[in-house]
Amino acid sequence: MNRGWRFWLITVLALLSVAGTLALGRWQLSRAAQKVAIQDSMDAKAAMSILDGQSLAGPVDPSFELHRRVALRGEWIPEWKVFLDNRPMNGRTGLYVVTPMRLQGSAAVVLVQRGWVARDFLDRSRLPRIETLAGVQEIVGRIAPPPAKLYELGGPDTGLIRQNIDLTGFAAETGLALLPVSVQQTGAASDGLLRDWPRPSVGVEKHYGYAFQWFALSGLIAILYVWFQIVRRFIYPRRA
């Protein structure tokens, strides 16, 4: 291949590479804009007035109220208390304690993520004592999706200690009329549980990071092309 054809081939490849990386960078920025809109919607929900349990159990799909604050009155169903393993909080790994609550004046039951507790790593079968009071209780929290699922081997989890909990499967297992959302209990530590939940986030920052990487790669390709195919090819020989 003579030098003329080689020059034009490299030029075409460089132009395609610059155009491709710029397009990928712009796509990441568009994804970031979508995530910003979602985050704004979540923040707006969190700033709305507090919802009560009767409204949560009403005919409207509670999934539309995700991230909204809620105040519940109801009774715990302690026989179906579950510990979710390998859950982090404040840089430590432990257990999330989840317990169904039957809402007062309704047959509806909501799964409450009550908080985090440290685990005994010397004796993993030993569970901490968590106080679960009888009678009608009042809690505050925010409407949240079910606890995030972790990778697991084998079939569905059962028993007191689980890796994951699926609301549909848990409803079939328990026979409870579970709502399709859960509630993260908020407030100061109590019942032996911490509640320093991370702020809900959609990960906008990672898209800005990816966009920067694509734009930087595009700039690098352009700089290398100009240096090797123009400066060294046409300018340095003339100076010589």
Side-chain angles (χ1 to χ4, degrees), residues 88-167:
M89 185 169 287
N90 295 337
R92 301 172 61 195
T93 299
L95 302 160
Y96 281 178
V97 179
V98 297
T99 308
M101 171 179 274
R102 180 172 286 106
L103 300 179
Q104 187 178 39
S106 170
V109 177
V110 63
L111 189 69
V112 179
Q113 303 177 48
R114 297 173 58 190
W116 178 95
V117 66
R119 180 161 193 183
D120 188 341
F121 288 99
L122 297 178
D123 183 2
R124 296 182 66 86
S125 63
R126 182 181 178 184
L127 290 173
R129 293 179 60 87
I130 303 300
E131 186 177 14
T132 303
L133 298 176
V136 176
Q137 305 297 319
E138 297 184 7
I139 67 168
V140 293
R142 59 170 171 260
I143 304 171
K149 289 189 176 182
L150 306 180
Y151 180 77
E152 63 180 343
L153 297 173
D157 273 344
T158 58
L160 194 57
I161 304 175
R162 309 186 183 200
Q163 189 79 353
N164 296 301
I165 188 167
D166 175 74
L167 288 186

Side-chain angles (χ1 to χ4, degrees), residues 1-7 233:
M1 181 181 294
N2 59 45
R3 297 185 65 185
W5 279 105
R6 181 181 177 186
F7 170 78
R233 182 182 177 88

Side-chain angles (χ1 to χ4, degrees), residues 171-226:
E173 177 186 354
T174 61
L176 300 174
L178 281 176
L179 295 175
V181 295
S182 68
V183 168
Q184 276 187 345
Q185 186 176 352
T186 56
S190 64
D191 306 329
L193 299 168
L194 296 180
R195 301 190 181 94
D196 296 330
W197 305 107
R199 180 177 179 269
S201 174
V202 293
V204 176
E205 296 78 9
K206 70 177 182 180
H207 292 291
Y208 287 132
Y210 292 151
F212 174 79
Q213 292 175 8
W214 286 120
F215 289 140
L217 181 58
S218 180
L220 178 62
I221 294 171
I223 291 171
L224 292 176
Y225 172 80
V226 170

